[in-house]
């Protein structure tokens, strides 16, 4: 036992310095892993954000397509049934939700927009008249905004192309223009103050031209002047206030959605909804 004890206690003492010099397990692993991991997380986060943005844009385009598909068989609202109007309203609200709360960009709003659908009675009545009266046609309907260099408002022109087929060219025989100033009163509301109603761009058909100035006869100065007068004719009716100090006829218009190719609007006070798509510039 003494030998064992002697052997046990005769073992050399372990140097603390030697123990301290022993590297702990795993200390030779690259400590830059935190930077690499955080970089990978940042890249993954960026990719996820980009994917979400793309998915939202694709979803929006699908919803816009659904809206346009819902209105395409309604003759711009003339023949819409109650069921169709419900479907259109639901689709319209869905699209409106994609940029709800964003302020209207007047630069993006500037330009010509073609009407695809409306439930506004004062527009639908024109379509009804055209469907009942064989001598009256309604062509394209536009809203033309002039506000690119403005931040507080601009000019809006409601444009209706119409015709009397027995006298004028089909669809685009003449143009009715209702002009209004508009002021931006909130992020999405504009107030319209109507100023003028005019009829312009009269294009008579070939039969009437032949009656005024027959091709087989020498065209007199008078007949040519008459044709020129008709082509350049413009009738203007100012829309004035009914009493001094009061605004002229106007109304509040809510621009519920806007992007580069679609404009949705609502006439405040139950005046109907409007669905427009971007059109080529319209010269008046």
């Amino acid at each position: 036992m003494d030998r064992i004890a002697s052997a046990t206690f005769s073992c050399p003492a372990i140097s603390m310095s030697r123990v301290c010099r022993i590297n702990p397990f795993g200390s030779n692993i690259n400590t830059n892993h935190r930077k690499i991991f955080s970089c990978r997380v940042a890249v993954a986060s960026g990719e996820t954000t980009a994917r979400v943005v793309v998915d939202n844009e694709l979803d929006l385009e699908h919803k816009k397509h659904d809206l346009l598909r819902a209105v395409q068989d309604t003759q711009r609202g003339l023949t819409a049934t109650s069921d169709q109007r419900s479907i259109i309203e639901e689709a319209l609200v869905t699209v409106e939700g994609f940029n709800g709360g964003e302020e209207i960009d007047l630069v993006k709003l500037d330009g010509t927009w073609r009407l695809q659908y409306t439930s506004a009675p004062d527009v639908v009545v024109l379509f009804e008249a055209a469907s009942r009266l064989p001598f009256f046609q309604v062509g394209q309907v536009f809203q033309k905004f002039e506000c690119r260099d403005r931040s507080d408002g601009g000019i809006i022109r409601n444009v209706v192309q119409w015709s009397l087929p027995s006298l004028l060219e089909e669809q685009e025989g003449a143009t009715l223009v209702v002009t209004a100033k508009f002021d931006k009163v909130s992020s999405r509301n504009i107030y319209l103050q109507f100023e003028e109603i005019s009829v312009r761009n009269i294009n008579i058909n070939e039969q009437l031209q032949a009656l005024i100035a027959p091709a087989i006869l020498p065209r007199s100065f008078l007949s040519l002047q008459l044709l020129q007068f008709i082509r350049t004719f413009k009738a203007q009716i100012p829309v004035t206030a009914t009493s001094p100090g009061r605004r002229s006829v106007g109304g509040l218009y809510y621009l519920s959605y806007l992007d580069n190719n679609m404009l949705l609007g609502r006439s405040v006070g139950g005046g109907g909804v409007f669905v427009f798509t971007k059109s080529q510039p319209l010269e008046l």
Side-chain angles (χ1 to χ4, degrees):
M1 290 296 293
D2 292 339
R3 290 181 180 179
I4 293 174
S6 175
T8 302
F9 289 99
S10 66
C11 290
I14 297 174
S15 171
M16 292 302 295
S17 62
R18 186 175 302 172
V19 172
C20 292
R21 284 196 298 270
I22 295 174
N23 292 329
F25 177 77
S27 64
N28 60 338
I29 297 176
N30 187 353
T31 57
N32 288 331
H33 71 283
R34 294 185 182 87
K35 295 181 179 178
I36 295 172
F37 178 74
S38 62
C39 181
R40 287 175 178 170
V41 169
V43 171
S45 176
E47 290 176 349
T48 301
T49 302
R51 190 178 302 113
V52 170
V53 171
V54 170
D55 289 344
N56 285 343
E57 290 178 350
L58 288 175
D59 190 28
L60 171 59
E61 291 304 314
H62 286 312
K63 300 304 183 185
K64 288 162 60 178
H65 176 73
D66 290 343
L67 175 58
L68 293 177
R69 185 171 57 187
V71 306
Q72 69 180 359
D73 294 327
T74 66
Q75 296 184 38
R76 293 178 290 186
L78 173 63
T79 62
T81 64
S82 58
D83 288 341
Q84 286 177 312
R85 285 193 291 269
S86 297
I87 293 171
I88 291 167
E89 178 65 22
E90 183 178 349
L92 192 144
V93 170
T94 300
V95 175
E96 289 173 334
F98 277 86
N99 68 358
E102 294 181 12
E103 188 166 351
I104 288 295
D105 184 348
L106 294 186
V107 174
K108 192 178 292 185
L109 179 64
D110 184 87
T112 304
W113 301 86
R114 186 195 305 270
L115 180 69
Q116 302 295 338
Y117 171 85
T118 186
S119 60
D122 56 342
V123 180
V124 174
V125 69
L126 293 175
F127 302 148
E128 291 176 345
S131 67
R132 296 174 181 175
L133 304 175
F135 56 85
F136 180 61
Q137 287 183 346
V138 175
Q140 298 298 332
V141 178
F142 302 94
Q143 274 191 345
K144 187 174 187 291
F145 287 88
E146 300 170 11
C147 52
R148 179 174 297 274
D149 299 323
R150 299 282 300 275
S151 61
D152 58 348
I155 300 293
I156 178 174
R157 304 184 195 278
N158 295 315
V159 182
V160 180
Q161 294 177 337
W162 58 279
S163 178
L164 303 174
S166 58
L167 300 174
L168 307 176
E169 289 185 1
E170 296 281 333
Q171 301 295 324
E172 299 180 8
T175 302
L176 174 70
V177 181
V178 181
T179 303
K181 284 183 178 179
F182 75 87
D183 297 315
K184 190 175 176 184
V185 296
S186 70
S187 61
R188 286 183 171 272
N189 282 305
I190 60 175
Y191 182 82
L192 276 59
Q193 187 174 341
F194 295 101
E195 295 190 320
E196 180 186 89
I197 300 173
S198 65
V199 177
R200 60 183 80 178
N201 299 341
I202 297 177
N203 300 304
I204 61 177
N205 60 24
E206 294 182 355
Q207 291 80 5
L208 185 56
Q209 288 187 48
L211 181 63
I212 296 173
I216 60 174
L217 298 175
R219 294 194 173 186
S220 67
F221 175 77
L222 182 60
S223 63
L224 292 175
Q225 285 292 100
L226 181 57
L227 288 175
Q228 182 64 21
F229 172 78
I230 293 173
R231 293 191 185 103
T232 59
F233 176 79
K234 179 180 177 181
Q236 297 172 282
I237 304 173
V239 181
T240 57
T242 55
S243 61
R246 296 186 61 183
R247 282 184 167 185
S248 61
V249 178
L252 201 59
Y253 190 30
Y254 178 64
L255 303 176
S256 58
Y257 179 85
L258 171 67
D259 65 15
N260 290 323
N261 52 37
M262 178 173 281
L263 170 64
L264 306 180
R266 294 176 179 269
S267 291
V268 178
V273 301
F274 299 86
V275 177
F276 292 94
T277 54
K278 198 64 179 285
S279 177
Q280 293 297 318
L282 184 66
E283 297 298 330
L284 295 174

